[in-house]
Amino acid sequence: MFIGLAALIVTDVGGLAIPWLTKDALDTYLAGSERTVTLWKYPALIVLAAGVQVIFRYFWRTHLFGFSRHIEWDFRNAIVAHLQRLPLSYFTHTKTGDLMSRLTNDMVSFREMLGMGVMAVIDAAFTIATSLLLMVVIDPWLTLWSLLPLPSITILVLLIGNRIFDRYRDVQRHLSTLSTFVQENLAGVRVVQAYVQEENQQRHFDDLSREYRALNLDLVKRWGYVTPVMTVLSGLAATIVLWLGGRKVAMGTMSLGELVGFYGYLGMLTWPMLAIGYVINLYQRGSAALARLLEILDTPVAAGYQVPGTVQVSEVRGEIELRNLFFRYTPDAPLTLQGITLTIPAGTWCGVVGETGAGKTTLVSLLPRLYEPPPGTIFIDGIELCELPLQTLKQAIGFVSQDIFLFSETIRDNILFGNGGATSEDLETAADLAQLTSSIQEFTHQFDTLLGERGVRLSGGQKQRTALARAIIKNPPILILDDAFSSVDIETEERILEQLKGFMRGRTAILISHRISTVMEADQIVYLKDGRIVERGSHEELLALRGYYYRLYRRQLLTRELDALSDNGGARS
Ligand SMILES: Nc1ncnc2c1ncn2[C@@H]1O[C@H](COP(=O)(O)OP(=O)(O)OP(=O)(O)O)[C@@H](O)[C@H]1O
Ligand SMILES: [Mg+2]
């Protein structure tokens, strides 16, 4: 950084020396006292000054721009680290495309402000100050006159500065919208094509692009005023100098060399003046970008990261207790869970059934603190969730969520995701338990098969079983399966459950399902309706109640019987 600054100053000094040398040269020659030596002296010195400029310009560029790259790197890492700790609720109301745009476009604008911006400010300040000083040394009165047009620049900047800043923010905001649109269209390209919406989406994109172009053109137009006005003003200054200075030379109160030198310095002022405009440009874009980046950093991270729990446990047994748990997603949303009280002793299975939207997923999302439960409502081994270190808590829970996400990496990487230290045997055991092995053997690269974006090359059931293997290999004392068999046929499901029984001995499990067959062997089953537990007990007890569970069971039994009947009928015909 300091080397860069020093090199910048040396470069400027080189530049500033040239008009002064020209002045001295002219005065010496015109005085007619030149000898062969001096005839060569000035051109040689001018070439030298230019050479110094060339060399040191290289140094300041590499050093100052390198500096801004370092800051950018640090800052970007900090933001990504922060993003990963933000509460899930943040991501439900923030769009991925918008975040991507901030991390790329806004980051670039911010870096340019740091690199080019800082450089240009220092460069301009130094050049202006020294040029002015040298001009004053040559002729104070002429300096004063030539600066007359200057205040108008300030007025110009003040007049349009704010409006340009606002416009930059609009442009960057719109770029976010544009990125989001593209990102969602690519992620959802199946839907777009399946619903033949290519043209519609194209048109929509065209509209968005057009608006982006219009915003940018407007910005260009506003900037369009700046450069010509600056040029006119510097032309005006030059005119004043030529007129007044010319008269002085004619009257003999100023030497021709002085006038040429003075004029040279005036010329050197033009670039910094324009640079000021450029810096304001960079600064406004950069600070608009910085504001958008700081917005991310200003969002508080999830509660578990803010106040880490401190109770150390050597081993989680897996007893889960919910005490009168009420939960709503946002302060103004309706209650999703209403007074849930439930104890799942360590090493037992709990089945959860209920209609769609009853709050089953919500209930289990609270256990690993994906959403923050109210204080005093959830206990594991008798310890309140927030008192457990986040790491301990999350290590203890194997979670297969309802909407599976797989990374665009190999099957192996995906299964090992939560337990990089697992051995190949662990991997195979987990795949076996999840009934995944036969599917994997069909792939040429087996575990090293690469999954496309979001694992498009796996079937729905294969994805679910991969996710199951990912949870099993963590070897967790608590396993949560949220509708994890919905895309798996009943026979495979039965095989998985049968195998899991052995693996799960001594572990706690919560099984959420729409199928009675998944939960009927659980130690206890709860029926959730509108965020409340309306029935609880074992399969037999719930059947005896002849309530919701019983009716669900009857319906599913009937469907199965009908299926079996039509299968047989199909076989006979
Ligand atoms: N992230 C969220 N933010 C706000 N509301 C949500 C969120 N997730 C779910 N909800 C709401 O909470 C309620 C319960 O949803 P939940 O996903 O827990 O139901 P579910 O029982 O798992 O349903 P399903 O059987 O369809 O999976 C729904 O009304 C849903 O709209
Ligand atoms: Mg659900």
Side-chain angles (χ1 to χ4, degrees):
M1 169 81 184
F2 290 107
I3 302 179
L5 285 183
L8 177 63
I9 302 288
V10 175
T11 313
D12 284 345
V13 169
L16 286 162
I18 294 175
W20 195 265
L21 290 169
T22 317
K23 167 179 101 56
D24 280 358
L26 270 179
D27 282 348
T28 320
Y29 300 148
L30 290 178
S33 62
E34 78 270 24
R35 293 190 306 268
T36 346
V37 186
T38 47
L39 205 61
W40 283 104
K41 188 176 121 192
Y42 288 105
L45 282 176
I46 289 177
V47 169
L48 183 73
V52 166
Q53 257 188 312
V54 168
I55 295 169
F56 282 86
R57 179 165 289 147
Y58 166 78
F59 278 115
W60 71 247
R61 287 193 85 94
T62 46
H63 275 89
L64 285 186
F65 290 156
F67 169 72
S68 67
R69 289 276 178 188
H70 279 300
I71 294 196
E72 179 197 14
W73 170 73
D74 250 6
F75 195 37
R76 185 181 272 138
N77 281 349
I79 292 185
V80 172
H82 189 80
L83 270 177
Q84 297 201 321
R85 287 169 180 72
L86 289 181
L88 278 189
S89 53
Y90 177 80
F91 296 96
T92 45
H93 64 77
T94 314
K95 297 186 171 122
T96 313
D98 174 56
L99 289 175
M100 298 300 280
S101 173
R102 288 182 197 219
L103 276 171
T104 49
N105 304 319
D106 287 311
M107 197 51 106
V108 168
S109 303
F110 171 67
R111 185 196 65 225
E112 283 176 352
M113 172 171 84
L114 277 184
M116 283 307 277
V118 169
M119 182 282 294
V121 164
I122 296 169
D123 191 20
F126 184 76
T127 314
I128 291 178
T130 351
S131 297
L132 275 182
L133 186 74
L134 294 172
M135 281 161 72
V136 170
V137 170
I138 296 175
D139 194 322
W141 273 111
L142 200 54
T143 312
L144 213 58
W145 277 107
S146 64
L147 292 185
L148 269 185
L150 207 63
S152 12
I153 295 184
T154 322
I155 294 171
L156 176 76
V157 166
L158 289 181
L159 267 183
I160 60 167
N162 262 342
R163 269 185 271 162
I164 288 185
F165 177 85
D166 289 345
R167 188 44 52 145
Y168 265 127
R169 222 182 25 209
D170 294 345
V171 164
Q172 262 145 319
R173 235 181 243 154
H174 197 75
L175 190 57
S176 278
T177 315
L178 210 62
S179 314
T180 304
F181 186 83
V182 173
Q183 188 259 337
E184 290 192 346
N185 260 273
L186 293 180
V189 68
R190 277 161 180 258
V191 183
V192 174
Q193 292 187 351
Y195 284 76
V196 238
Q197 289 301 307
E198 300 89 342
E199 278 188 24
N200 251 337
Q201 296 296 87
Q202 177 59 39
R203 249 197 311 279
H204 194 158
F205 182 72
D206 194 69
D207 291 344
L208 285 174
S209 286
R210 199 192 309 276
E211 201 179 325
Y212 183 61
R213 184 184 62 187
L215 282 172
N216 266 308
L217 283 181
D218 187 69
L219 191 58
V220 169
K221 226 184 283 167
R222 288 179 193 200
W223 270 111
Y225 305 130
V226 179
T227 319
V229 172
M230 294 268 193
T231 318
V232 166
L233 292 177
S234 66
L236 209 60
T239 318
I240 294 175
V241 168
L242 281 182
W243 182 49
L244 290 178
R247 272 186 22 182
K248 287 183 106 176
V249 173
M251 288 190 305
T253 50
M254 191 184 197
S255 76
L256 183 60
E258 279 174 338
L259 179 62
V260 171
F262 191 93
Y263 193 72
Y265 285 120
L266 189 70
M268 290 195 70
L269 281 185
T270 319
W271 142 245
M273 288 294 180
L274 288 179
I276 290 179
Y278 174 66
V279 167
I280 294 168
N281 182 347
L282 278 183
Y283 172 75
Q284 290 188 322
R285 198 170 43 179
S287 47
L290 183 62
R292 283 163 51 83
L293 289 169
L294 288 180
E295 247 171 51
I296 301 180
L297 282 183
D298 284 345
T299 312
V301 295
Y305 296 100
Q306 288 174 19
V307 194
T310 48
V311 178
Q312 294 299 329
V313 278
S314 53
E315 198 183 358
V316 174
R317 283 181 297 116
E319 185 202 72
I320 299 171
E321 194 191 346
L322 309 175
R323 288 186 201 156
N324 200 22
L325 168 63
F326 285 81
F327 180 78
R328 47 165 56 104
Y329 277 99
T330 48
D332 48 356
L335 279 169
T336 305
L337 296 176
Q338 313 193 39
I340 304 276
T341 299
L342 173 70
T343 306
I344 308 173
T348 66
W349 289 25
C350 176
V352 182
V353 286
E355 3 190 305
T356 164
K360 304 181 293 294
T361 301
T362 308
L363 183 68
V364 289
S365 306
L366 295 175
L367 290 176
R369 289 177 83 181
L370 295 180
Y371 292 95
E372 197 56 24
T377 50
I378 304 187
F379 299 81
I380 287 188
D381 292 352
I383 305 165
E384 197 183 341
L385 277 195
C386 60
E387 312 219 305
L388 282 170
L390 218 50
Q391 182 80 10
T392 313
L393 174 68
K394 297 197 176 181
Q395 276 301 335
I397 298 177
F399 197 112
V400 181
S401 58
Q402 197 168 16
D403 52 336
I404 308 268
F405 181 86
L406 298 176
F407 294 91
S408 315
E409 294 176 8
T410 61
I411 298 184
R412 180 194 309 275
D413 293 335
N414 271 292
I415 296 180
L416 290 183
F417 186 70
N419 183 3
T423 63
S424 305
E425 278 121 65
D426 296 339
L427 184 70
E428 276 160 29
T429 319
D432 258 347
L433 277 170
Q435 296 290 311
L436 191 63
T437 313
S438 59
S439 300
I440 287 181
Q441 271 159 359
E442 282 170 23
F443 298 127
T444 12
H445 299 290
Q446 311 222 333
F447 280 112
D448 294 314
T449 308
L450 210 59
L451 302 182
E453 171 106 344
R454 286 198 140 226
V456 282
R457 281 199 257 164
L458 294 187
S459 74
Q462 286 166 339
K463 281 193 216 168
Q464 285 191 328
R465 283 174 284 148
T466 309
L468 180 60
R470 171 164 70 189
I472 289 173
I473 207 167
K474 271 177 77 181
N475 211 1
I478 299 170
L479 188 66
I480 297 172
L481 306 182
D482 186 358
D483 222 359
F485 304 115
S486 57
S487 308
V488 177
D489 59 81
I490 297 202
E491 286 72 27
T492 313
E493 173 182 356
E494 277 168 3
R495 276 204 301 279
I496 296 177
L497 283 174
E498 199 51 46
Q499 295 235 39
L500 269 185
K501 266 187 215 156
F503 170 77
M504 291 303 290
R505 200 156 291 134
R507 299 172 207 254
T508 312
I510 299 180
L511 305 170
I512 297 178
S513 182
H514 287 279
R515 283 190 208 145
I516 297 284
S517 58
T518 317
V519 296
M520 57 192 277
E521 292 195 37
D523 301 286
Q524 63 171 327
I525 302 165
V526 295
Y527 192 103
L528 218 57
K529 186 172 166 36
D530 300 331
R532 291 192 182 86
I533 296 180
V534 288
E535 290 174 7
R536 63 174 90 207
S538 68
H539 180 66
E540 285 73 26
E541 287 165 356
L542 286 177
L543 286 186
L545 277 181
R546 304 208 156 233
Y548 295 107
Y549 184 85
Y550 173 75
R551 284 198 286 279
L552 185 64
Y553 176 68
R554 286 294 305 234
R555 267 202 306 279
Q556 295 189 355
L557 201 64
L558 218 60
T559 322
R560 268 188 98 162
E561 279 169 0
L562 280 177
D563 278 353
L565 221 68
S566 67
D567 274 0
N568 289 342
R572 243 178 274 136
S573 67

